[in-house]
Amino acid sequence: MSQENLSNSAGPSCLKRSFGMREAVTITAGSVIGVGLFTTGSNVVGNLGIEVIFATLLALLVSIYPALLYAEMGAALPYAGGTYQFASLGLGKAVGVLAGWNFIISLVAVTGGEALAFSYYFKTLCLAFGWQIPLSDVAVALIVTIVFIIANVFGVRLTGRLQNGFMFFFWGVAAIWFLTMIPNIELPNFVKSPEFIAKDKDFTFIGAVCMIWWCFAGFEACVAMGEEIRFPKINIPRAMFLAPFVVFCVNALFQWYLIGITPVEKLASLATAEAPYAEAMKAAGILGFPLALLAAGIAFGGDFSTLNASISTTPRYLFTMARDGAMPKIFAKVSHRYQTPYVAVITLGVLTVALIATNSLLYIAELSLFADLFYYVLGILAAWGLRKKHPELKRSYKAPLIMVGAPVSALIYLYMMTELSNEAFYTGVIWCLLGIAIYWCCSKYYGAGASFKLDEKASGVDEIPTPEEKRSMDREYHLWWFLVGGLSIVATLLYLLPYKTYLSLVLSDGAYFLT
């Protein structure tokens, strides 16, 4: 099939290329390191205890191959819209609309949940200094969301710089907090099995994996901003290779510390805590500066990075769908001054505000999880469809064993959907029907085809760095892998260390008994 036959699916870039690999990684990681890790993902520790590492490793494993598929698709089709574009080309326009529509509600829900999580930890920070904020959680969440909406209207350079600042602030605070918490780690916590473990009939291990996996969902976030990433055929695959492991490192390390500082008899209470890390520190009597440091890192690093990334990424889907005539074209308007899809940013901001008003983090999490799993299934199948329908696309990277990996990954995600509540499932179905109805109306009004053509030069797929730029990019990439790979190994080994250390204590003192 010739390139001209792709004319109904993609358009020339009209967004500014301002991001490199660093921003691609931090925006991707920032989309997922936040509300899941510090709320519902940490609640799982209250159900599983030390066994949470197995759920986290499994969540990593089921994320790696889909990330490779997105590396392939994102490098070959570096356009705003990500899964929407891939599914439209590989499976058909209606399927693409479903994928993009679910991506939108997923990240809108993440944004709402993140804003509420910010309010929990921000209030904890204020209380650590003796300040009582005379505002509700919803009011604080609404204020911070509006601020980020305004920031994103002002352009990608601003949001990219903010994202780097938030993520590096988070990692810097996390490193300091990890060091200050070492004296408070109780090694026996890792080898004692609390009595409540595995006794909740409504709780399943696969359900726990789903909630932990929600902390990984969004690992492909940067492909939605493909038109704004420089040298996409190099930087997008590299960001996709790194992203799942970056998320794993952060989750595994924080979970280890959460188990280590929480008294065993208090571990069960984490399953229902709004701010599990703050509750754990209070239960252990760790107050003052360490508590304030943690709350500041989570609120202004983890939460802010996710808010910024989510509000930045989601409008690019709505923008692209509108540009293609699948959604009302008013959402395709771009600010002449800031080169941002400001109508889409503001509209989705209003939807986020509506979700925040529900003040139900559990409902928001389940709605997001349904949408995540569904659009990943469509995205995974789209990679297979693109191989069949468009073999002529220039692929700087090709995922291995796609005939096996794609269907297996899709089946795994479909199985995970069976663990969701009926409420989340029915809400997701209603959202899908609404999206199809809007698409049907737009296709009737605008016509079946879009007027845009695939423009490889404008897409940046042929963009080549200078030798000096390439060397600099390679050094940065290798440094990232050295840090991320090393931390992944360290994070895993930390769960084995307490067994060895505590067993030595037991063997040297007959008064200790393993339970």
Side-chain angles (χ1 to χ4, degrees):
M1 183 177 290
S2 66
Q3 294 289 350
E4 287 73 22
N5 290 331
L6 301 178
S7 62
N8 289 341
S9 301
S13 175
C14 61
L15 301 176
K16 188 178 295 184
R17 294 193 175 278
S18 303
F19 297 151
M21 191 201 73
R22 183 187 312 161
E23 288 79 11
V25 172
T26 58
I27 284 175
T28 298
S31 295
V32 291
I33 297 174
V35 60
L37 170 59
F38 299 117
T39 55
T40 55
S42 299
N43 292 147
V44 174
V45 174
N47 294 110
L48 288 181
I50 185 65
E51 295 174 13
V52 72
I53 185 58
F54 299 115
T56 305
L57 282 169
L58 190 53
L60 169 66
L61 290 176
V62 300
S63 300
I64 291 174
Y65 192 80
L68 299 183
L69 295 177
Y70 274 93
E72 173 181 324
M73 295 186 290
L77 294 165
Y79 288 94
T83 305
Y84 160 68
Q85 292 284 26
F86 307 150
S88 294
L89 284 170
L91 302 174
K93 194 63 171 287
V95 179
V97 170
L98 266 181
W101 193 241
N102 276 276
F103 179 89
I104 287 171
I105 194 60
S106 169
L107 277 194
V108 165
V110 166
T111 304
E114 198 67 58
L116 288 172
F118 168 81
S119 68
Y120 302 153
Y121 283 100
F122 179 68
K123 284 190 170 183
T124 299
L125 174 63
C126 293
L127 288 174
F129 289 101
W131 304 332
Q132 183 73 42
I133 302 297
L135 295 173
S136 67
D137 291 330
V138 170
V140 174
L142 290 175
I143 292 171
V144 72
T145 300
I146 292 171
V147 170
F148 274 101
I149 291 171
I150 294 172
N152 274 269
V153 169
F154 287 151
V156 295
R157 284 191 179 275
L158 174 61
T159 55
R161 289 167 182 165
L162 287 174
Q163 192 65 20
N164 286 338
F166 295 147
M167 287 305 300
F168 288 118
F169 172 74
F170 169 75
W171 286 331
V173 170
I176 297 171
W177 186 78
F178 287 157
L179 292 174
T180 60
M181 285 298 100
I182 289 176
N184 298 289
I185 297 296
E186 297 291 339
L187 294 181
N189 290 5
F190 293 90
V191 291
K192 293 181 179 180
S193 181
E195 294 181 357
F196 66 84
I197 296 295
K199 289 188 177 182
D200 187 346
K201 294 182 180 179
D202 296 326
F203 182 83
T204 66
F205 179 75
I206 297 301
V209 173
C210 289
M211 294 312 299
I212 294 294
W213 178 84
W214 191 47
C215 302
F216 285 78
F219 53 76
E220 87 311 339
C222 73
V223 303
M225 306 180 77
E227 294 184 21
E228 296 158 272
I229 295 176
R230 300 178 68 232
F231 313 121
K233 70 179 182 181
I234 298 173
N235 284 327
I236 289 179
R238 288 180 172 183
M240 289 299 93
F241 300 156
L242 288 165
F245 293 93
V246 172
V247 180
F248 169 76
C249 290
V250 177
N251 276 268
L253 287 171
F254 270 96
Q255 289 164 354
W256 188 84
Y257 273 88
L258 184 59
I259 295 168
I261 65 175
T262 307
V264 174
E265 65 276 10
K266 298 289 186 179
L267 204 57
S269 65
L270 299 181
T272 56
E274 287 184 339
Y277 285 86
E279 294 301 320
M281 294 184 71
K282 292 176 183 177
I286 307 171
L287 306 174
F289 175 73
L291 178 59
L293 182 68
L294 172 72
I298 293 176
F300 297 109
D303 291 333
F304 269 17
S305 68
T306 304
L307 279 169
N308 186 54
S310 298
I311 293 175
S312 298
T313 303
T314 318
R316 272 66 183 180
Y317 269 69
L318 185 56
F319 160 81
T320 305
M321 293 165 73
R323 185 177 65 181
D324 289 356
M327 289 286 143
K329 289 195 174 182
I330 189 173
F331 298 125
K333 282 193 172 184
V334 175
S335 167
H336 292 296
R337 181 174 182 181
Y338 300 111
Q339 292 295 294
T340 54
Y342 68 100
V343 177
V345 171
I346 295 171
T347 302
L348 294 181
V350 172
L351 182 57
T352 301
V353 167
L355 274 181
I356 291 172
T358 67
N359 197 26
S360 175
L361 189 55
L362 180 60
Y363 171 76
I364 289 172
E366 291 192 333
L367 176 60
S368 178
L369 190 52
F370 171 90
D372 283 331
L373 290 166
F374 188 51
Y375 84 71
Y376 274 126
V377 168
L378 299 180
I380 289 166
L381 295 179
W384 175 82
L386 284 168
R387 287 275 190 99
K388 292 292 184 180
K389 295 178 68 174
H390 299 292
E392 80 287 353
L393 288 175
K394 295 180 181 179
R395 294 171 169 87
S396 60
Y397 168 78
K398 294 183 72 173
L401 303 174
I402 193 170
M403 296 302 294
V404 176
V408 169
S409 295
L411 287 173
I412 290 172
Y413 282 11
L414 286 171
Y415 175 67
M416 290 168 67
M417 291 180 71
T418 65
E419 295 294 316
L420 300 177
S421 68
N422 289 335
E423 182 181 16
F425 181 83
Y426 294 140
T427 303
V429 170
I430 292 171
W431 177 258
C432 290
L433 292 175
L434 176 62
I436 290 296
I438 295 175
Y439 165 64
W440 183 82
C441 292
C442 288
S443 64
K444 292 294 183 182
Y445 186 78
Y446 299 124
S451 59
F452 299 97
K453 294 183 179 180
L454 179 66
D455 186 333
E456 291 192 18
K457 183 178 180 180
S459 76
V461 73
D462 288 328
E463 188 179 13
I464 300 174
T466 66
E468 184 177 349
E469 287 175 321
K470 183 62 166 57
R471 285 192 294 270
S472 177
M473 291 164 62
D474 290 343
R475 285 195 299 268
E476 182 181 25
Y477 179 59
H478 294 149
L479 177 61
W480 273 90
W481 257 125
F482 175 78
L483 294 174
V484 173
L487 282 175
S488 296
I489 295 172
V490 169
T492 305
L493 293 178
L494 278 174
Y495 286 83
L496 301 177
L497 175 64
Y499 280 98
K500 179 179 179 181
T501 304
Y502 191 63
L503 183 59
S504 298
L505 293 174
V506 172
L507 293 176
S508 63
D509 189 342
Y512 289 87
F513 296 91
L514 288 175
T515 59

